[in-house]
Amino acid sequence: MSDFFNEGWSTYIAVVTAVSILACLVLLIIAARTKAMAADNTTGHVWDENLRELNNPLPMWWMGLFVLTIVFSAIYLVFYPGLGSFQGSLGWSQKAQYEAEIQRANQELAPLYARFDAMSVEQLAADGQALRVGERLFVNNCAQCHGSDARGSKGFPDLTDTDWLYGGSPDAIIHTIAKGRIGTMPPMAAAVGSSDDVRNLANYVLSLSGSPHNEIQAHLGRSKFTACAACHGMKGQGNPALGAPNLADRVWLHGWGDEAIANIIRQGKVNTMPAHADKLTPSQIRVLAGYVWGQSHPH
């Protein structure tokens, strides 16, 4: 609760919390002192003609538990965060505990990773123990986007083929995992021309990979490809330095067909691979890179 916009909200939360605990105590005292509201020891409320609510005293065991709960709450708020931005006298935080647990786990695993550090990525991809560790890292950090089988889906690359936007070398994979990638395809409709020109260009792009297309439209769109050649190359074979896809193969990351391609020409596309350098250690990144590299280089 330390990330309030201003100190006023912190004070407000602290006051509401303290008043709520005191209100529970006051309500308990009032309930314990309440006398019978009628001669027959009922509250006077009647349901279904003859169902009456008794006004018996609260059981002592229940009273004791309630008081202990209130006392525990007060003590907890002294030692731990809960009163607005007050961090508690122990200075505990969820983030600090998480980081301490991660550091302890890394220290316990240090001997294992020391063996992995002496191996190349290619060797890691052939080592059974490294593959099992890499698989766990992949499931926990990568499978949400690339799938548990690493085959990806629309918008998320298939890691089991040999089509790598930024290069499939071990060093390139390590860089991608550690630093992340941001792939940007700007909207190109204004540079291409009319909607018919966009459609013609889409068919020309399909022709580069020998995919089904309209040959007349592809012929008309060929001259418009100059707007794309700066990134994809004159033959559409891409540029790993820029992360520009190879348009001459049949790997379509964001959907196949002239309509899908035309939409990307009109609207552009931004794809993000998050960086993991602040989440994984360098040793873990190398082991994970070995596992990923091995998916497209099976032994």
Side-chain angles (χ1 to χ4, degrees), residues 141-189:
N141 298 278
C142 314
Q144 298 89 336
C145 295
H146 296 283
S148 58
D149 59 358
R151 293 187 179 277
S153 61
K154 184 178 179 180
F156 302 102
D158 180 353
L159 304 180
T160 64
D161 60 18
T162 56
D163 184 72
W164 296 90
L165 292 179
Y166 294 92
S169 68
D171 288 341
I173 295 174
I174 290 174
H175 180 89
T176 297
I177 296 173
K179 304 298 183 181
R181 302 285 188 181
I182 299 179
T184 302
M185 159 73 182
M188 299 295 294

Side-chain angles (χ1 to χ4, degrees), residues 95-270:
K95 180 180 179 182
Q97 180 172 336
Y98 169 77
E99 292 175 346
E101 291 177 356
I102 292 296
Q103 183 177 7
R104 183 167 60 251
N106 289 339
Q107 290 175 347
E108 293 174 355
L109 293 173
L112 175 63
Y113 281 108
R115 185 175 78 84
F116 294 154
D117 289 341
M119 303 168 65
S120 67
V121 171
E122 292 86 350
Q123 291 173 327
L124 290 171
D127 184 87
Q129 188 178 30
L131 284 177
R132 289 191 293 273
V133 174
E135 182 181 20
R136 290 295 90 203
L137 291 170
F138 183 87
V139 169
N140 291 333
N141 298 278
C142 314
Q144 298 89 336
C145 295
H146 296 283
S148 58
D149 59 358
R151 293 187 179 277
S153 61
K154 184 178 179 180
F156 302 102
D158 180 353
L159 304 180
T160 64
D161 60 18
T162 56
D163 184 72
W164 296 90
L165 292 179
Y166 294 92
S169 68
D171 288 341
I173 295 174
I174 290 174
H175 180 89
T176 297
I177 296 173
K179 304 298 183 181
R181 302 285 188 181
I182 299 179
T184 302
M185 159 73 182
M188 299 295 294
V192 172
S194 67
S195 58
D196 288 339
D197 291 329
V198 169
R199 181 72 65 178
N200 294 339
L201 176 57
N203 275 274
Y204 177 72
V205 170
L206 285 172
S207 74
L208 294 174
S209 59
S211 302
H213 62 279
N214 183 304
E215 290 200 16
I216 296 177
Q217 289 182 310
H219 178 74
L220 295 173
R222 181 172 185 174
S223 63
K224 299 298 181 180
F225 190 74
T226 54
C228 315
C231 294
H232 296 281
M234 289 303 298
K235 295 183 179 181
Q237 294 180 340
N239 185 346
L242 300 175
N246 180 5
L247 305 179
D249 61 17
R250 296 197 176 191
V251 179
W252 298 95
L253 185 59
H254 299 288
W256 179 88
D258 62 339
E259 185 58 33
I261 297 173
N263 283 335
I264 292 179
I265 295 172
R266 297 188 195 102
Q267 303 168 12
K269 179 66 67 174
V270 176

